[in-house]
Amino acid sequence: MKFVLNSFLVVLSISLIAFFGAIYSSVAGNKLQSMTDQELKGKHVFEQRACIECHTLFGNGGYSGGDLTKAYGNFGEVYLKEYFLQPPLISGAKSKKHISLSPAETDLLIAYLRFVNSVNTVGWPPAVQNKQAR
Amino acid sequence: MFVSQQLSYKYALTAFFLFGLQGIVAVGGALELIFPDLTMPISYTSGRAFHLNISLYWPLLGMFAAIYFFFSRESGQEMYSRQLINVNYWLLVGTVVLVLGTLLLGYQEGREYLEALWPFKVATAISTILLSYNLMRTFWTAPVVKTRATLVSMLTGSLTLILFYVPNLFVYQHPTTDEIAKFLVVHLWEEMSLELIGIGVLAALLIEIGAVKRHLIETAVYLDVIFIAFAGILATGHHYYWIGVPAYWLWIGGIFSAMQVLPATVLLYSTLKNVSVKRFSELSNRDKITMGLIGSSTFYHIFGAGLLGFFMAYPPINRYVHGTYITSAHAHLALFGVFGFLVLALCFYILFYETVLNEKSYRWCWYAIGALNSGLMIMAGGLLLAGGLQCYFWRIIGLSIGETNELIRPYLALRAAGGGLYAMGSLGLTFLVIKSIWPNIRYFFYSTVPLPARQADLVRIRDLMMLFIEKAKIMEQVLRKILERLKKDR
Ligand code: HEM
Ligand code: HEM
Ligand SMILES: [Fe+2]
């Protein structure tokens, strides 16, 4: 049993080292673009308003509102600005509107979405969705 | 029986309570998705944050119960510090109450699964540290062989809980780093730490109720944890495919996720081979329920987590199903199906260790388990259909998300219906457990003196009866042999 225990500990350690090593090499140096002050503030708006509970970012989050990773690229600044300042009704609803943001928040949030749009997600989401820009 | 084991009762009871509570808020959220005009007293964002946090915390609390209970038993002594078990209980439960309360009031940090405010996350980390410290000290002085598989897997599982949680106490600038850190908890806690702990306590339980022999599964447990460590850690890559990291994660995640079938196969094989089902009828009522819950857990382990996860993890498929309700189907089948049922089994076993479940409650427990299983299946079926169509309309045809939502609403309604059934099962089971425990509730929280005499006597009588039945069966065989001999001789 001593041998099996040692094998377990060795496998565990090697896996952990390989895993954290791979993470380190994915983020170390300048692999991740740094964010401007405005983009960072936009991220805080995104967090404060809990957008992630209804929307996904990089595909992770809530599933009811769709993905926002490429929202900036798909919809453009003008459309988004109007969407947040004068939100439409949620599809299928007679009275409930999408949450709205103040003009200041809108600018910050759009800066953040622009930043997210620039992250290289190795071709995700699939192309068809990118074509649907209005 | 050790005092440390009795101290774990309150963890198990609290886990049951939170499990009952979860269903109610969840159904509210599910309804809001099908009736968009509906306004709930709790906003959807707060409700979902509540739901995600409670879904991590109650299985965790239940696992704590099982660890203290079985670690003490398996190491053949009291835990190093009984005081620390109590302190940790109040710390953890206090944290959970505050987390859930603040989330309902709308205070949150805006990161999925980790919505709790920073001080509460620190408290959670401290809880895992206190647990591991207590286990370490107990392990050093244990009068049993140090290589005992159950102890080793519980201990390493608990230690890795700390390792994977602590990175989430820091604040990161880049959203990609946020995602990397988040899945240390969302993936590695579940598919590595809890998996190790789960195997350890499960083996200990099966040994105790006599379903398997220790020497037969010692190697199987080791094989399983080796495979989990080998595949589970790097399989975290299946959450990293599209978050803005280099493309080599597609390979890492894809290959090691495929390997995750190894531990599941070992689990299935050794269960089928070593657990003797023919003795099921000889088990006590409590043990039958426990085995029913464990059976459910094993079923979802293979289909909901293993098989469905396996397909979803293949990068070309994941590209399409990622971020749809298909993920949600897997999340419910795996998190509740595997760990929910396992924790319920463990907590049930622990809570009715010294208390006796009466015949009528026993029958109702089976109905509740039936409702949980069918509710979960309907829920998952609805989510799979909704997710499949969402994928098609939204990802392939290119409809907008609003149009897609309108088209998949019927399937989300099916999900809500399944959720309703599930919620009835969960409320029923929680009610039965709390009702049966209620007469001795003070004992469950405060006391280390034995149960009131009559209760304890009942348990002892039951155990004696079981022993007699077992002996009588052996006697019967012996007598039969003697009779046959006599016949032959004549
Ligand atoms: C008991 C074990 C498991 C549990 C508790 C579990 C739990 C979860 C949860 C909660 C999620 C949702 C994460 C989110 O919200 O973003 C998830 C996603 C996922 N799981 Fe599992 N899982 C288990 C086993 C597996 C296995 C064995 C595999 C593969 C072989 C797998 C593959 C996946 C994949 C690929 C996703 C990502 C789905 C997406 O792209 O959105 N899981 N899992
Ligand atoms: C009455 C039963 C339940 C209902 C109606 C329900 C409903 C929901 C809803 C509406 C969501 C949000 C999905 C979205 O973003 O659109 C959700 C997410 C989630 N639930 Fe449940 N839930 C139930 C039980 C559970 C249980 C018992 C667990 C685990 C112990 C669980 C774990 C999760 C997780 C991990 C997520 C987030 C990941 C995802 O959706 O992929 N749920 N649930
Ligand atoms: Fe995972």
Side-chain angles (χ1 to χ4, degrees), chain B residues 262-329:
Chain B
L262 291 175
T265 320
V266 174
L267 183 77
L268 181 67
Y269 177 75
S270 52
T271 321
L272 291 182
K273 185 154 165 273
N274 294 323
V275 177
S276 36
V277 187
K278 65 172 185 291
R279 301 187 57 189
F280 189 78
S281 57
E282 290 169 27
L283 294 175
S284 67
N285 281 351
R286 174 200 59 167
D287 292 353
K288 276 184 194 156
I289 301 263
T290 307
M291 290 306 275
L293 290 165
I294 290 176
S296 308
S297 168
T298 313
F299 173 80
Y300 295 107
H301 209 146
I302 287 152
F303 294 101
L307 209 62
L308 183 57
F310 179 78
F311 284 116
M312 284 168 32
Y314 180 54
I317 295 183
N318 189 266
R319 196 170 133 83
Y320 285 91
V321 303
H322 181 52
T324 67
Y325 282 109
I326 292 183
T327 305
S328 199

Coordinates of all heavy atoms in Angstrom, one line a residue, chain B residues 262-329:
Chain B
L262 N -12.0 7.2 -16.9 CA -11.3 6.2 -16.2 C -11.8 6.1 -14.7 O -12.2 5.0 -14.3 CB -9.8 6.5 -16.2 CG -9.1 6.3 -17.6 CD1 -7.6 6.7 -17.5 CD2 -9.2 4.8 -18.0
P263 N -11.8 7.2 -14.0 CA -12.2 7.0 -12.6 C -13.7 6.5 -12.5 O -14.0 5.7 -11.7 CB -12.1 8.4 -11.9 CG -11.8 9.3 -13.1 CD -11.3 8.5 -14.2
A264 N -14.5 7.0 -13.4 CA -15.9 6.6 -13.4 C -16.1 5.1 -13.7 O -16.9 4.5 -13.0 CB -16.7 7.4 -14.4
T265 N -15.2 4.6 -14.6 CA -15.3 3.2 -14.9 C -14.8 2.4 -13.7 O -15.5 1.4 -13.4 CB -14.4 2.9 -16.1 OG1 -14.5 3.9 -17.0 CG2 -14.7 1.6 -16.7
V266 N -13.7 2.8 -13.1 CA -13.3 2.1 -11.9 C -14.4 2.0 -10.8 O -14.6 1.0 -10.2 CB -12.0 2.7 -11.3 CG1 -11.6 2.1 -10.0 CG2 -10.9 2.7 -12.3
L267 N -15.0 3.2 -10.6 CA -16.1 3.3 -9.6 C -17.2 2.3 -9.9 O -17.6 1.5 -9.1 CB -16.6 4.7 -9.6 CG -17.7 4.9 -8.5 CD1 -17.0 5.1 -7.2 CD2 -18.5 6.2 -8.8
L268 N -17.6 2.3 -11.2 CA -18.7 1.4 -11.6 C -18.3 0.0 -11.4 O -19.0 -0.8 -10.8 CB -19.1 1.7 -13.0 CG -20.3 0.9 -13.6 CD1 -21.5 1.3 -12.8 CD2 -20.5 1.1 -15.1
Y269 N -17.1 -0.3 -11.9 CA -16.7 -1.7 -11.9 C -16.6 -2.2 -10.5 O -17.1 -3.3 -10.2 CB -15.3 -1.8 -12.7 CG -14.7 -3.2 -12.6 CD1 -15.3 -4.2 -13.5 CD2 -13.7 -3.5 -11.8 CE1 -14.7 -5.5 -13.5 CE2 -13.2 -4.8 -11.8 CZ -13.7 -5.8 -12.6 OH -13.2 -7.0 -12.6
S270 N -15.9 -1.4 -9.6 CA -15.7 -2.0 -8.3 C -17.0 -2.0 -7.5 O -17.2 -2.8 -6.6 CB -14.6 -1.2 -7.6 OG -14.9 0.2 -7.6
T271 N -17.9 -1.1 -7.8 CA -19.2 -1.2 -7.1 C -19.9 -2.5 -7.5 O -20.4 -3.2 -6.7 CB -20.1 0.0 -7.5 OG1 -19.4 1.2 -7.6 CG2 -21.2 0.2 -6.5
L272 N -20.0 -2.7 -8.8 CA -20.7 -3.9 -9.3 C -20.1 -5.1 -8.8 O -20.7 -6.1 -8.5 CB -20.8 -3.9 -10.8 CG -21.7 -2.8 -11.5 CD1 -21.7 -3.0 -13.0 CD2 -23.1 -2.9 -10.9
K273 N -18.7 -5.1 -8.8 CA -18.0 -6.3 -8.4 C -18.1 -6.6 -6.9 O -18.3 -7.8 -6.5 CB -16.6 -6.2 -8.8 CG -15.8 -7.5 -8.6 CD -14.6 -7.5 -9.6 CE -13.6 -8.6 -9.1 NZ -12.6 -8.1 -8.2
N274 N -18.0 -5.5 -6.1 CA -17.8 -5.8 -4.7 C -19.0 -5.6 -3.8 O -19.1 -6.1 -2.7 CB -16.6 -4.9 -4.1 CG -15.3 -5.3 -4.8 OD1 -15.0 -6.5 -5.0 ND2 -14.5 -4.3 -5.1
V275 N -19.9 -4.8 -4.2 CA -21.1 -4.5 -3.4 C -22.1 -5.7 -3.6 O -22.5 -6.0 -4.7 CB -21.8 -3.2 -3.7 CG1 -23.0 -3.0 -2.9 CG2 -20.8 -2.1 -3.5
S276 N -22.4 -6.4 -2.5 CA -23.3 -7.5 -2.6 C -24.7 -7.1 -2.5 O -25.1 -6.7 -1.4 CB -22.9 -8.6 -1.6 OG -22.5 -8.0 -0.4
V277 N -25.4 -7.2 -3.6 CA -26.8 -6.7 -3.6 C -27.8 -7.6 -2.9 O -28.8 -7.3 -2.4 CB -27.3 -6.4 -5.0 CG1 -28.6 -5.7 -5.1 CG2 -26.3 -5.5 -5.7
K278 N -27.4 -8.9 -2.9 CA -28.3 -9.9 -2.4 C -28.6 -9.7 -0.9 O -29.5 -10.2 -0.3 CB -27.8 -11.3 -2.6 CG -26.6 -11.7 -1.9 CD -26.3 -13.2 -2.2 CE -25.1 -13.8 -1.4 NZ -23.9 -13.3 -1.9
R279 N -27.7 -8.9 -0.2 CA -27.9 -8.7 1.2 C -28.8 -7.4 1.4 O -29.0 -7.1 2.5 CB -26.6 -8.5 1.9 CG -25.7 -9.7 1.7 CD -24.4 -9.6 2.5 NE -24.7 -9.4 3.9 CZ -23.8 -9.1 4.8 NH1 -22.5 -8.9 4.4 NH2 -24.1 -8.9 6.1
F280 N -29.3 -6.8 0.3 CA -30.1 -5.6 0.5 C -31.3 -5.8 1.4 O -31.5 -5.0 2.3 CB -30.6 -5.2 -0.9 CG -31.2 -3.8 -0.9 CD1 -30.5 -2.7 -0.9 CD2 -32.6 -3.7 -0.9 CE1 -31.1 -1.4 -0.9 CE2 -33.2 -2.5 -0.9 CZ -32.4 -1.3 -0.9
S281 N -31.9 -7.0 1.2 CA -33.1 -7.2 2.1 C -32.8 -7.3 3.5 O -33.6 -7.2 4.4 CB -33.8 -8.5 1.6 OG -32.9 -9.5 1.6
E282 N -31.5 -7.6 3.8 CA -31.1 -7.8 5.2 C -30.8 -6.4 5.9 O -30.6 -6.4 7.1 CB -29.9 -8.7 5.4 CG -30.2 -10.1 5.0 CD -28.9 -10.9 4.9 OE1 -27.9 -10.5 5.5 OE2 -28.9 -11.9 4.1
L283 N -30.7 -5.4 5.0 CA -30.3 -4.1 5.6 C -31.4 -3.5 6.4 O -32.6 -3.8 6.2 CB -29.9 -3.1 4.5 CG -28.7 -3.5 3.6 CD1 -28.5 -2.5 2.5 CD2 -27.4 -3.4 4.5
S284 N -31.0 -2.6 7.4 CA -32.1 -1.9 8.1 C -32.7 -0.9 7.2 O -32.2 -0.6 6.2 CB -31.4 -1.3 9.4 OG -30.6 -0.2 8.9
N285 N -33.9 -0.4 7.7 CA -34.6 0.6 6.9 C -33.7 1.8 6.5 O -33.7 2.2 5.4 CB -35.8 1.2 7.7 CG -36.9 0.2 7.6 OD1 -36.9 -0.8 6.9 ND2 -38.0 0.4 8.4
R286 N -33.0 2.2 7.5 CA -32.1 3.4 7.3 C -31.1 3.1 6.2 O -30.9 3.8 5.3 CB -31.4 3.8 8.6 CG -30.3 4.8 8.3 CD -29.3 4.9 9.4 NE -28.5 3.6 9.4 CZ -27.4 3.5 10.1 NH1 -26.9 4.5 10.8 NH2 -26.8 2.3 10.2
D287 N -30.5 1.9 6.3 CA -29.5 1.5 5.3 C -30.0 1.3 3.9 O -29.4 1.6 2.9 CB -28.7 0.3 5.8 CG -27.9 0.6 7.0 OD1 -27.8 1.8 7.4 OD2 -27.3 -0.3 7.6
K288 N -31.3 0.9 3.9 CA -31.9 0.7 2.6 C -32.1 2.1 1.9 O -31.7 2.3 0.7 CB -33.3 0.1 2.7 CG -33.2 -1.4 2.7 CD -34.6 -2.0 2.8 CE -34.5 -3.5 3.1 NZ -35.7 -4.0 3.7
I289 N -32.6 3.1 2.7 CA -32.7 4.4 2.1 C -31.3 5.0 1.7 O -31.1 5.5 0.6 CB -33.3 5.4 3.2 CG1 -34.7 4.9 3.6 CG2 -33.4 6.8 2.6 CD1 -35.8 5.5 2.9
T290 N -30.4 4.8 2.6 CA -29.0 5.2 2.3 C -28.5 4.6 1.0 O -28.0 5.3 0.1 CB -28.0 4.8 3.4 OG1 -28.6 5.3 4.6 CG2 -26.7 5.4 3.2
M291 N -28.7 3.3 0.8 CA -28.3 2.7 -0.4 C -29.1 3.1 -1.6 O -28.5 3.3 -2.7 CB -28.4 1.1 -0.3 CG -27.4 0.5 0.6 SD -25.7 0.9 0.3 CE -25.3 -0.3 -0.9
G292 N -30.4 3.4 -1.4 CA -31.1 4.0 -2.5 C -30.6 5.3 -3.0 O -30.4 5.6 -4.2
L293 N -30.2 6.2 -2.1 CA -29.6 7.5 -2.4 C -28.2 7.3 -3.1 O -27.9 8.0 -4.0 CB -29.5 8.4 -1.2 CG -30.9 8.9 -0.6 CD1 -30.7 9.4 0.8 CD2 -31.4 9.9 -1.5
I294 N -27.5 6.4 -2.5 CA -26.1 6.1 -3.1 C -26.3 5.6 -4.6 O -25.6 6.0 -5.5 CB -25.3 5.2 -2.3 CG1 -24.9 5.8 -1.0 CG2 -24.1 4.7 -3.0 CD1 -24.2 4.9 0.0
G295 N -27.3 4.7 -4.7 CA -27.5 4.2 -6.1 C -27.9 5.3 -7.1 O -27.4 5.3 -8.2
S296 N -28.7 6.2 -6.6 CA -29.1 7.4 -7.5 C -27.8 8.1 -7.8 O -27.6 8.5 -9.0 CB -30.0 8.3 -6.7 OG -31.1 7.6 -6.2
S297 N -27.0 8.4 -6.8 CA -25.8 9.2 -7.1 C -24.9 8.5 -8.1 O -24.3 9.1 -9.0 CB -25.0 9.3 -5.7 OG -23.7 9.8 -6.0
T298 N -24.7 7.2 -8.0 CA -23.9 6.4 -8.9 C -24.4 6.5 -10.3 O -23.7 6.7 -11.3 CB -23.8 4.9 -8.5 OG1 -23.5 4.9 -7.1 CG2 -22.6 4.3 -9.2
F299 N -25.8 6.4 -10.4 CA -26.4 6.5 -11.7 C -26.0 7.8 -12.4 O -25.6 7.8 -13.6 CB -27.9 6.3 -11.6 CG -28.7 6.6 -12.8 CD1 -28.8 5.6 -13.8 CD2 -29.3 7.8 -13.1 CE1 -29.5 5.8 -15.0 CE2 -30.0 8.0 -14.2 CZ -30.1 7.0 -15.2
Y300 N -26.2 8.9 -11.7 CA -26.0 10.2 -12.3 C -24.5 10.4 -12.5 O -24.0 11.2 -13.4 CB -26.5 11.4 -11.5 CG -28.0 11.3 -11.4 CD1 -28.7 10.9 -10.3 CD2 -28.8 11.6 -12.6 CE1 -30.1 10.8 -10.3 CE2 -30.2 11.5 -12.5 CZ -30.8 11.2 -11.4 OH -32.2 11.1 -11.4
H301 N -23.6 9.8 -11.7 CA -22.2 9.9 -11.9 C -21.8 9.4 -13.3 O -21.0 10.0 -14.0 CB -21.5 9.1 -10.8 CG -20.2 9.6 -10.4 ND1 -19.6 9.5 -9.2 CD2 -19.2 10.2 -11.2 CE1 -18.5 10.1 -9.1 NE2 -18.2 10.5 -10.3
I302 N -22.4 8.3 -13.7 CA -22.1 7.7 -14.9 C -22.7 8.4 -16.1 O -22.1 8.7 -17.1 CB -22.4 6.2 -14.9 CG1 -21.4 5.5 -14.0 CG2 -22.3 5.6 -16.3 CD1 -21.8 4.3 -13.3
F303 N -24.0 8.7 -16.0 CA -24.7 9.3 -17.1 C -24.6 10.8 -17.2 O -24.2 11.4 -18.1 CB -26.2 8.8 -17.2 CG -26.2 7.3 -17.5 CD1 -26.4 6.4 -16.5 CD2 -26.0 6.8 -18.8 CE1 -26.5 5.0 -16.7 CE2 -26.0 5.5 -19.0 CZ -26.2 4.6 -18.0
G304 N -25.1 11.4 -16.1 CA -25.1 12.9 -16.1 C -23.8 13.6 -16.1 O -23.5 14.5 -16.9
A305 N -22.9 13.1 -15.2 CA -21.6 13.7 -15.2 C -20.7 13.1 -16.2 O -20.2 13.8 -17.1 CB -21.0 13.5 -13.8
G306 N -20.5 11.8 -16.2 CA -19.5 11.1 -17.0 C -19.9 11.2 -18.5 O -19.1 11.9 -19.3
L307 N -21.0 10.6 -18.9 CA -21.3 10.5 -20.3 C -21.6 11.8 -21.0 O -21.0 12.2 -22.0 CB -22.5 9.5 -20.5 CG -22.5 8.8 -21.8 CD1 -21.3 7.9 -21.9 CD2 -23.8 7.9 -21.8
L308 N -22.5 12.6 -20.4 CA -22.9 13.9 -20.9 C -21.7 14.8 -20.9 O -21.4 15.5 -21.9 CB -24.1 14.5 -20.1 CG -24.6 15.8 -20.6 CD1 -25.1 15.7 -22.1 CD2 -25.8 16.3 -19.8
G309 N -20.9 14.8 -19.8 CA -19.8 15.7 -19.7 C -18.7 15.3 -20.8 O -18.1 16.2 -21.4
F310 N -18.6 14.0 -21.0 CA -17.6 13.5 -22.0 C -17.9 14.1 -23.4 O -17.0 14.6 -24.1 CB -17.7 12.0 -22.0 CG -16.8 11.3 -23.0 CD1 -15.5 11.2 -22.7 CD2 -17.3 10.9 -24.2 CE1 -14.6 10.6 -23.6 CE2 -16.5 10.2 -25.1 CZ -15.1 10.1 -24.8
F311 N -19.2 14.1 -23.8 CA -19.5 14.6 -25.1 C -19.3 16.1 -25.2 O -18.8 16.6 -26.1 CB -21.0 14.3 -25.5 CG -21.1 12.8 -25.9 CD1 -21.9 11.9 -25.1 CD2 -20.5 12.4 -27.0 CE1 -22.0 10.6 -25.5 CE2 -20.6 11.0 -27.4 CZ -21.3 10.2 -26.6
M312 N -19.8 16.8 -24.1 CA -19.7 18.2 -24.1 C -18.2 18.7 -24.1 O -18.0 19.9 -24.5 CB -20.4 18.8 -22.9 CG -21.9 18.8 -23.0 SD -22.7 19.1 -21.5 CE -21.6 20.2 -20.7
A313 N -17.3 17.9 -23.6 CA -16.0 18.4 -23.4 C -15.2 18.3 -24.7 O -14.1 18.8 -24.8 CB -15.3 17.6 -22.3
Y314 N -15.7 17.6 -25.7 CA -15.0 17.5 -27.0 C -15.0 18.8 -27.7 O -16.1 19.3 -28.0 CB -15.7 16.4 -27.8 CG -15.1 16.2 -29.2 CD1 -13.7 15.9 -29.3 CD2 -15.9 16.2 -30.3 CE1 -13.2 15.6 -30.6 CE2 -15.3 16.0 -31.6 CZ -14.0 15.7 -31.7 OH -13.4 15.5 -32.9
P315 N -13.9 19.5 -27.9 CA -13.9 20.9 -28.3 C -14.9 21.3 -29.4 O -15.6 22.3 -29.3 CB -12.5 21.2 -28.6 CG -11.7 20.3 -27.7 CD -12.5 19.1 -27.6
P316 N -14.9 20.5 -30.6 CA -15.8 20.9 -31.7 C -17.3 20.9 -31.2 O -18.1 21.7 -31.8 CB -15.5 19.8 -32.7 CG -14.2 19.3 -32.4 CD -14.0 19.4 -31.0
I317 N -17.6 20.0 -30.3 CA -19.0 20.0 -29.8 C -19.2 21.2 -28.8 O -20.2 21.9 -28.9 CB -19.4 18.7 -29.1 CG1 -19.4 17.6 -30.1 CG2 -20.7 18.8 -28.4 CD1 -19.8 16.2 -29.6
N318 N -18.2 21.3 -27.9 CA -18.3 22.4 -26.9 C -18.5 23.8 -27.6 O -19.2 24.6 -27.0 CB -17.1 22.4 -26.0 CG -17.2 23.3 -24.8 OD1 -16.8 24.4 -24.9 ND2 -17.9 22.8 -23.8
R319 N -17.8 24.0 -28.7 CA -17.9 25.2 -29.4 C -19.4 25.6 -29.6 O -19.7 26.8 -29.5 CB -17.3 25.0 -30.8 CG -16.9 26.3 -31.5 CD -16.1 25.8 -32.7 NE -16.5 26.5 -33.9 CZ -16.2 27.7 -34.3 NH1 -15.4 28.4 -33.5 NH2 -16.6 28.3 -35.4
Y320 N -20.2 24.6 -29.9 CA -21.7 24.9 -30.1 C -22.5 24.9 -28.8 O -23.4 25.7 -28.6 CB -22.2 24.0 -31.1 CG -21.8 24.4 -32.5 CD1 -20.6 23.9 -33.1 CD2 -22.5 25.4 -33.2 CE1 -20.2 24.3 -34.3 CE2 -22.0 25.9 -34.4 CZ -20.9 25.3 -35.0 OH -20.5 25.8 -36.2
V321 N -22.2 23.9 -27.9 CA -23.1 23.8 -26.8 C -22.7 24.7 -25.6 O -23.4 24.9 -24.6 CB -23.2 22.4 -26.2 CG1 -23.7 21.4 -27.3 CG2 -21.9 21.9 -25.6
H322 N -21.5 25.3 -25.7 CA -21.0 26.1 -24.6 C -21.9 27.3 -24.4 O -22.3 28.0 -25.3 CB -19.6 26.6 -25.0 CG -18.9 27.5 -24.0 ND1 -18.8 27.1 -22.7 CD2 -18.3 28.7 -24.1 CE1 -18.2 28.1 -22.0 NE2 -17.9 29.0 -22.8
G323 N -22.2 27.5 -23.1 CA -23.0 28.7 -22.8 C -24.5 28.6 -23.2 O -25.1 29.5 -23.5
T324 N -25.0 27.3 -23.3 CA -26.4 27.1 -23.6 C -27.0 26.3 -22.4 O -26.3 25.9 -21.5 CB -26.6 26.3 -24.9 OG1 -26.2 25.0 -24.7 CG2 -25.9 26.9 -26.0
Y325 N -28.3 26.1 -22.5 CA -29.0 25.3 -21.4 C -28.5 23.9 -21.3 O -28.8 23.2 -20.4 CB -30.5 25.4 -21.6 CG -31.1 26.7 -21.2 CD1 -31.6 27.6 -22.1 CD2 -31.1 27.0 -19.8 CE1 -32.1 28.8 -21.6 CE2 -31.6 28.2 -19.4 CZ -32.1 29.1 -20.3 OH -32.6 30.3 -19.9
I326 N -27.8 23.4 -22.4 CA -27.2 22.1 -22.2 C -26.2 22.0 -21.1 O -26.2 21.1 -20.3 CB -26.5 21.7 -23.6 CG1 -27.6 21.5 -24.6 CG2 -25.7 20.4 -23.4 CD1 -27.2 21.0 -26.0
T327 N -25.4 23.1 -20.9 CA -24.5 23.2 -19.8 C -25.3 23.1 -18.5 O -24.9 22.5 -17.5 CB -23.8 24.5 -19.8 OG1 -23.1 24.6 -21.1 CG2 -22.8 24.6 -18.7
S328 N -26.5 23.8 -18.5 CA -27.3 23.8 -17.3 C -27.8 22.4 -17.0 O -27.9 22.1 -15.8 CB -28.5 24.8 -17.5 OG -29.0 25.2 -16.3
A329 N -28.2 21.7 -18.0 CA -28.7 20.3 -17.8 C -27.5 19.5 -17.1 O -27.8 18.8 -16.1 CB -29.0 19.6 -19.1

